[in-house]
PDB file of all heavy atoms in Angstrom:
ATOM      1  N   VAL A  29      -6.719  96.553 -24.772  1.00 62.00           N
ATOM      2  CA  VAL A  29      -5.819  97.292 -25.680  1.00 62.00           C
ATOM      3  C   VAL A  29      -4.411  96.727 -25.555  1.00 62.00           C
ATOM      4  O   VAL A  29      -3.738  96.455 -26.546  1.00 62.00           O
ATOM      5  CB  VAL A  29      -5.844  98.803 -25.370  1.00 62.00           C
ATOM      6  CG1 VAL A  29      -4.740  99.525 -26.129  1.00 62.00           C
ATOM      7  CG2 VAL A  29      -7.203  99.391 -25.722  1.00 62.00           C
ATOM      8  N   GLY A  30      -3.998  96.496 -24.288  1.00 62.00           N
ATOM      9  CA  GLY A  30      -2.661  95.948 -24.040  1.00 62.00           C
ATOM     10  C   GLY A  30      -2.489  94.605 -24.716  1.00 62.00           C
ATOM     11  O   GLY A  30      -1.471  94.333 -25.334  1.00 62.00           O
ATOM     12  N   ALA A  31      -3.520  93.764 -24.626  1.00 63.00           N
ATOM     13  CA  ALA A  31      -3.429  92.432 -25.225  1.00 63.00           C
ATOM     14  C   ALA A  31      -3.309  92.537 -26.744  1.00 63.00           C
ATOM     15  O   ALA A  31      -2.543  91.811 -27.377  1.00 63.00           O
ATOM     16  CB  ALA A  31      -4.660  91.619 -24.850  1.00 63.00           C
ATOM     17  N   LEU A  32      -4.098  93.492 -27.337  1.00 61.00           N
ATOM     18  CA  LEU A  32      -4.052  93.663 -28.789  1.00 61.00           C
ATOM     19  C   LEU A  32      -2.677  94.120 -29.243  1.00 61.00           C
ATOM     20  O   LEU A  32      -2.133  93.636 -30.231  1.00 61.00           O
ATOM     21  CB  LEU A  32      -5.113  94.681 -29.248  1.00 61.00           C
ATOM     22  CG  LEU A  32      -6.544  94.130 -29.294  1.00 61.00           C
ATOM     23  CD1 LEU A  32      -7.526  95.257 -29.590  1.00 61.00           C
ATOM     24  CD2 LEU A  32      -6.659  93.032 -30.351  1.00 61.00           C
ATOM     25  N   VAL A  33      -2.101  95.088 -28.470  1.00 60.00           N
ATOM     26  CA  VAL A  33      -0.773  95.600 -28.817  1.00 60.00           C
ATOM     27  C   VAL A  33       0.245  94.464 -28.721  1.00 60.00           C
ATOM     28  O   VAL A  33       1.084  94.272 -29.592  1.00 60.00           O
ATOM     29  CB  VAL A  33      -0.377  96.774 -27.888  1.00 60.00           C
ATOM     30  CG1 VAL A  33       1.106  97.117 -28.035  1.00 60.00           C
ATOM     31  CG2 VAL A  33      -1.242  97.999 -28.209  1.00 60.00           C
ATOM     32  N   ALA A  34       0.113  93.656 -27.658  1.00 61.00           N
ATOM     33  CA  ALA A  34       1.054  92.553 -27.464  1.00 61.00           C
ATOM     34  C   ALA A  34       0.949  91.550 -28.606  1.00 61.00           C
ATOM     35  O   ALA A  34       1.942  90.986 -29.050  1.00 61.00           O
ATOM     36  CB  ALA A  34       0.781  91.864 -26.130  1.00 61.00           C
ATOM     37  N   LEU A  35      -0.312  91.342 -29.086  1.00 60.00           N
ATOM     38  CA  LEU A  35      -0.502  90.393 -30.183  1.00 60.00           C
ATOM     39  C   LEU A  35       0.060  90.941 -31.490  1.00 60.00           C
ATOM     40  O   LEU A  35       0.618  90.211 -32.301  1.00 60.00           O
ATOM     41  CB  LEU A  35      -1.998  90.104 -30.370  1.00 60.00           C
ATOM     42  CG  LEU A  35      -2.582  89.044 -29.435  1.00 60.00           C
ATOM     43  CD1 LEU A  35      -4.092  88.971 -29.629  1.00 60.00           C
ATOM     44  CD2 LEU A  35      -1.945  87.682 -29.727  1.00 60.00           C
ATOM     45  N   ALA A  36      -0.136  92.273 -31.701  1.00 65.00           N
ATOM     46  CA  ALA A  36       0.260  92.882 -32.968  1.00 65.00           C
ATOM     47  C   ALA A  36       1.755  93.100 -33.054  1.00 65.00           C
ATOM     48  O   ALA A  36       2.320  93.100 -34.132  1.00 65.00           O
ATOM     49  CB  ALA A  36      -0.477  94.223 -33.151  1.00 65.00           C
ATOM     50  N   TRP A  37       2.400  93.264 -31.898  1.00 61.00           N
ATOM     51  CA  TRP A  37       3.808  93.657 -31.904  1.00 61.00           C
ATOM     52  C   TRP A  37       4.711  92.696 -32.687  1.00 61.00           C
ATOM     53  O   TRP A  37       5.522  93.122 -33.499  1.00 61.00           O
ATOM     54  CB  TRP A  37       4.295  93.830 -30.464  1.00 61.00           C
ATOM     55  CG  TRP A  37       5.665  94.394 -30.412  1.00 61.00           C
ATOM     56  CD1 TRP A  37       6.788  93.769 -29.965  1.00 61.00           C
ATOM     57  CD2 TRP A  37       6.086  95.684 -30.857  1.00 61.00           C
ATOM     58  NE1 TRP A  37       7.869  94.586 -30.100  1.00 61.00           N
ATOM     59  CE2 TRP A  37       7.471  95.765 -30.649  1.00 61.00           C
ATOM     60  CE3 TRP A  37       5.419  96.769 -31.441  1.00 61.00           C
ATOM     61  CZ2 TRP A  37       8.218  96.891 -30.982  1.00 61.00           C
ATOM     62  CZ3 TRP A  37       6.149  97.889 -31.764  1.00 61.00           C
ATOM     63  CH2 TRP A  37       7.529  97.943 -31.544  1.00 61.00           C
ATOM     64  N   PRO A  38       4.568  91.351 -32.488  1.00 61.00           N
ATOM     65  CA  PRO A  38       5.454  90.461 -33.242  1.00 61.00           C
ATOM     66  C   PRO A  38       5.276  90.576 -34.759  1.00 61.00           C
ATOM     67  O   PRO A  38       6.161  90.232 -35.515  1.00 61.00           O
ATOM     68  CB  PRO A  38       5.048  89.058 -32.752  1.00 61.00           C
ATOM     69  CG  PRO A  38       4.330  89.283 -31.479  1.00 61.00           C
ATOM     70  CD  PRO A  38       3.695  90.632 -31.595  1.00 61.00           C
ATOM     71  N   LEU A  39       4.063  91.051 -35.196  1.00 62.00           N
ATOM     72  CA  LEU A  39       3.810  91.184 -36.634  1.00 62.00           C
ATOM     73  C   LEU A  39       4.415  92.449 -37.197  1.00 62.00           C
ATOM     74  O   LEU A  39       4.689  92.555 -38.387  1.00 62.00           O
ATOM     75  CB  LEU A  39       2.285  91.210 -36.908  1.00 62.00           C
ATOM     76  CG  LEU A  39       1.535  89.922 -36.573  1.00 62.00           C
ATOM     77  CD1 LEU A  39       0.037  90.154 -36.720  1.00 62.00           C
ATOM     78  CD2 LEU A  39       1.984  88.806 -37.512  1.00 62.00           C
ATOM     79  N   ALA A  40       4.628  93.461 -36.325  1.00 68.00           N
ATOM     80  CA  ALA A  40       5.065  94.774 -36.799  1.00 68.00           C
ATOM     81  C   ALA A  40       6.430  94.703 -37.477  1.00 68.00           C
ATOM     82  O   ALA A  40       6.643  95.302 -38.510  1.00 68.00           O
ATOM     83  CB  ALA A  40       5.100  95.757 -35.626  1.00 68.00           C
ATOM     84  N   GLY A  41       7.373  93.931 -36.911  1.00 71.00           N
ATOM     85  CA  GLY A  41       8.716  93.824 -37.472  1.00 71.00           C
ATOM     86  C   GLY A  41       8.710  93.316 -38.904  1.00 71.00           C
ATOM     87  O   GLY A  41       9.128  94.022 -39.818  1.00 71.00           O
ATOM     88  N   PRO A  42       8.167  92.088 -39.146  1.00 74.00           N
ATOM     89  CA  PRO A  42       8.135  91.557 -40.517  1.00 74.00           C
ATOM     90  C   PRO A  42       7.362  92.437 -41.492  1.00 74.00           C
ATOM     91  O   PRO A  42       7.765  92.605 -42.637  1.00 74.00           O
ATOM     92  CB  PRO A  42       7.437  90.198 -40.351  1.00 74.00           C
ATOM     93  CG  PRO A  42       7.610  89.837 -38.922  1.00 74.00           C
ATOM     94  CD  PRO A  42       7.721  91.121 -38.158  1.00 74.00           C
ATOM     95  N   LEU A  43       6.228  93.048 -41.017  1.00 78.00           N
ATOM     96  CA  LEU A  43       5.432  93.907 -41.908  1.00 78.00           C
ATOM     97  C   LEU A  43       6.224  95.131 -42.323  1.00 78.00           C
ATOM     98  O   LEU A  43       6.239  95.519 -43.486  1.00 78.00           O
ATOM     99  CB  LEU A  43       4.135  94.346 -41.210  1.00 78.00           C
ATOM    100  CG  LEU A  43       3.019  93.316 -41.219  1.00 78.00           C
ATOM    101  CD1 LEU A  43       1.814  93.856 -40.455  1.00 78.00           C
ATOM    102  CD2 LEU A  43       2.620  92.965 -42.655  1.00 78.00           C
ATOM    103  N   HIS A  44       6.902  95.739 -41.337  1.00 80.00           N
ATOM    104  CA  HIS A  44       7.690  96.921 -41.629  1.00 80.00           C
ATOM    105  C   HIS A  44       8.829  96.581 -42.587  1.00 80.00           C
ATOM    106  O   HIS A  44       9.123  97.320 -43.508  1.00 80.00           O
ATOM    107  CB  HIS A  44       8.243  97.531 -40.335  1.00 80.00           C
ATOM    108  CG  HIS A  44       9.050  98.764 -40.573  1.00 80.00           C
ATOM    109  ND1 HIS A  44      10.422  98.784 -40.404  1.00 80.00           N
ATOM    110  CD2 HIS A  44       8.703 100.002 -41.018  1.00 80.00           C
ATOM    111  CE1 HIS A  44      10.866  99.989 -40.728  1.00 80.00           C
ATOM    112  NE2 HIS A  44       9.844 100.745 -41.086  1.00 80.00           N
ATOM    113  N   ARG A  45       9.432  95.398 -42.355  1.00 78.00           N
ATOM    114  CA  ARG A  45      10.536  94.990 -43.218  1.00 78.00           C
ATOM    115  C   ARG A  45      10.028  94.785 -44.651  1.00 78.00           C
ATOM    116  O   ARG A  45      10.661  95.185 -45.603  1.00 78.00           O
ATOM    117  CB  ARG A  45      11.160  93.692 -42.680  1.00 78.00           C
ATOM    118  CG  ARG A  45      12.493  93.391 -43.344  1.00 78.00           C
ATOM    119  CD  ARG A  45      13.251  92.323 -42.616  1.00 78.00           C
ATOM    120  NE  ARG A  45      12.544  91.048 -42.668  1.00 78.00           N
ATOM    121  CZ  ARG A  45      13.029  89.912 -42.183  1.00 78.00           C
ATOM    122  NH1 ARG A  45      14.192  89.895 -41.591  1.00 78.00           N
ATOM    123  NH2 ARG A  45      12.353  88.798 -42.273  1.00 78.00           N
ATOM    124  N   ARG A  46       8.842  94.179 -44.793  1.00 80.00           N
ATOM    125  CA  ARG A  46       8.297  93.935 -46.123  1.00 80.00           C
ATOM    126  C   ARG A  46       8.007  95.268 -46.834  1.00 80.00           C
ATOM    127  O   ARG A  46       8.274  95.442 -48.014  1.00 80.00           O
ATOM    128  CB  ARG A  46       7.015  93.095 -46.031  1.00 80.00           C
ATOM    129  CG  ARG A  46       6.816  92.277 -47.298  1.00 80.00           C
ATOM    130  CD  ARG A  46       5.531  91.515 -47.308  1.00 80.00           C
ATOM    131  NE  ARG A  46       5.351  90.653 -46.154  1.00 80.00           N
ATOM    132  CZ  ARG A  46       4.159  90.172 -45.788  1.00 80.00           C
ATOM    133  NH1 ARG A  46       3.071  90.491 -46.433  1.00 80.00           N
ATOM    134  NH2 ARG A  46       4.056  89.380 -44.751  1.00 80.00           N
ATOM    135  N   TRP A  47       7.458  96.217 -46.065  1.00 82.00           N
ATOM    136  CA  TRP A  47       7.139  97.533 -46.635  1.00 82.00           C
ATOM    137  C   TRP A  47       8.434  98.225 -47.078  1.00 82.00           C
ATOM    138  O   TRP A  47       8.513  98.789 -48.165  1.00 82.00           O
ATOM    139  CB  TRP A  47       6.417  98.375 -45.569  1.00 82.00           C
ATOM    140  CG  TRP A  47       6.259  99.814 -45.954  1.00 82.00           C
ATOM    141  CD1 TRP A  47       5.309 100.334 -46.790  1.00 82.00           C
ATOM    142  CD2 TRP A  47       7.084 100.909 -45.538  1.00 82.00           C
ATOM    143  NE1 TRP A  47       5.498 101.687 -46.924  1.00 82.00           N
ATOM    144  CE2 TRP A  47       6.581 102.069 -46.165  1.00 82.00           C
ATOM    145  CE3 TRP A  47       8.191 101.031 -44.707  1.00 82.00           C
ATOM    146  CZ2 TRP A  47       7.151 103.324 -45.985  1.00 82.00           C
ATOM    147  CZ3 TRP A  47       8.765 102.276 -44.522  1.00 82.00           C
ATOM    148  CH2 TRP A  47       8.245 103.402 -45.157  1.00 82.00           C
ATOM    149  N   ARG A  48       9.480  98.136 -46.215  1.00 81.00           N
ATOM    150  CA  ARG A  48      10.755  98.794 -46.537  1.00 81.00           C
ATOM    151  C   ARG A  48      11.412  98.150 -47.755  1.00 81.00           C
ATOM    152  O   ARG A  48      11.959  98.819 -48.615  1.00 81.00           O
ATOM    153  CB  ARG A  48      11.681  98.684 -45.322  1.00 81.00           C
ATOM    154  CG  ARG A  48      12.707  99.789 -45.204  1.00 81.00           C
ATOM    155  CD  ARG A  48      13.550  99.601 -43.977  1.00 81.00           C
ATOM    156  NE  ARG A  48      13.976  98.208 -43.864  1.00 81.00           N
ATOM    157  CZ  ARG A  48      14.338  97.633 -42.733  1.00 81.00           C
ATOM    158  NH1 ARG A  48      14.332  98.294 -41.607  1.00 81.00           N
ATOM    159  NH2 ARG A  48      14.711  96.365 -42.704  1.00 81.00           N
TER     160      ARG A  48
END
Side-chain angles (χ1 to χ4, degrees):
V29 170
L32 283 173
V33 168
L35 277 174
W37 187 246
L39 295 173
L43 280 178
H44 181 251
R45 193 167 65 175
R46 208 184 305 162
W47 170 80
R48 207 179 45 203

